[in-house]
Amino acid sequence: MEEQKKEQRKIIKVELEVIVMPEDIDDIICAALEGGIGYWACLDNSTEEFENAPEKETVSETTSRLLKEGKTITLIDEEENERHELTLEKLLTGIKMYLEDKQRPYNIPADDLNSVGYSRGTYELDCCMVDANVADMIIQYAVFGEVVFG
């Protein structure tokens, strides 16, 4: 009987729309740089953009701002002495890959936004659920296309 039920099951793939707000980028970059990726990478903040950043802007804020402005930042894998470029598009791809990962530690889409005028199946991110581990995974997906470390 149970086998018969399994045979009758059909699987369909459903896509979700996720709105990524500018402050989500800020939160992910902050979590990544201030704990998430530190065991495998460091940020190359020796460039002119970082040197000329506003005095009150933190390194995480500068990094996030540069990404949102369409600039590329560089992460350095100190063990392998390799440089990895991160762009906003790569970061968004990393978020998408994290959301598609069935083994992800936390579900980060918040409630459906249908009630505030978006189509059903549109979500925003719940960055309260983005800890150092999640941010690390997002960055690894962004630069490697997979989780390599950890």
Side-chain angles (χ1 to χ4, degrees):
M1 180 82 167
E2 194 64 32
E3 282 300 314
Q4 210 173 13
K5 283 184 183 178
K6 279 187 179 179
E7 288 178 20
Q8 293 173 348
R9 292 181 188 168
K10 302 291 183 218
I11 298 174
I12 60 171
K13 203 170 223 180
V14 178
E15 282 194 27
L16 302 175
E17 289 184 355
V18 178
I19 297 172
V20 180
M21 302 295 287
E23 53 270 16
D24 298 333
I25 302 299
D26 299 342
D27 291 344
I28 292 167
I29 291 300
C30 182
L33 294 180
E34 295 180 17
I37 65 171
Y39 69 100
W40 68 269
C42 67
L43 173 70
D44 178 2
N45 61 355
S46 65
T47 64
E48 187 177 316
E49 287 96 353
F50 282 96
E51 290 176 15
N52 295 328
E55 193 173 307
K56 293 187 178 190
E57 196 173 66
T58 67
V59 171
S60 294
E61 290 169 336
T62 301
T63 303
S64 184
R65 177 179 53 79
L66 291 172
L67 287 171
K68 291 184 285 189
E69 289 174 356
K71 305 274 185 358
T72 300
I73 64 159
T74 302
L75 301 174
I76 303 168
D77 177 344
E78 293 182 319
E79 242 178 70
E80 302 294 325
N81 200 26
E82 291 181 19
R83 300 172 72 79
H84 304 282
E85 291 187 343
L86 180 65
T87 63
L88 180 58
E89 281 307 308
K90 285 183 175 183
L91 183 62
L92 293 173
T93 297
I95 294 168
K96 180 180 186 299
M97 292 178 77
Y98 176 85
L99 291 169
E100 292 171 342
D101 183 350
K102 293 181 183 0
Q103 303 298 317
R104 66 182 179 261
Y106 301 113
N107 196 22
I108 62 174
D111 295 332
D112 190 325
L113 294 174
N114 187 42
S115 63
V116 290
Y118 290 93
S119 62
R120 184 169 298 285
T122 301
Y123 297 83
E124 61 185 350
L125 293 180
D126 179 1
C127 281
C128 291
M129 299 302 291
V130 177
D131 63 5
N133 185 41
V134 171
D136 176 33
M137 291 176 71
I138 290 170
I139 299 297
Q140 287 189 58
Y141 277 129
V143 298
F144 300 121
E146 63 182 335
V147 175
V148 175
F149 304 104

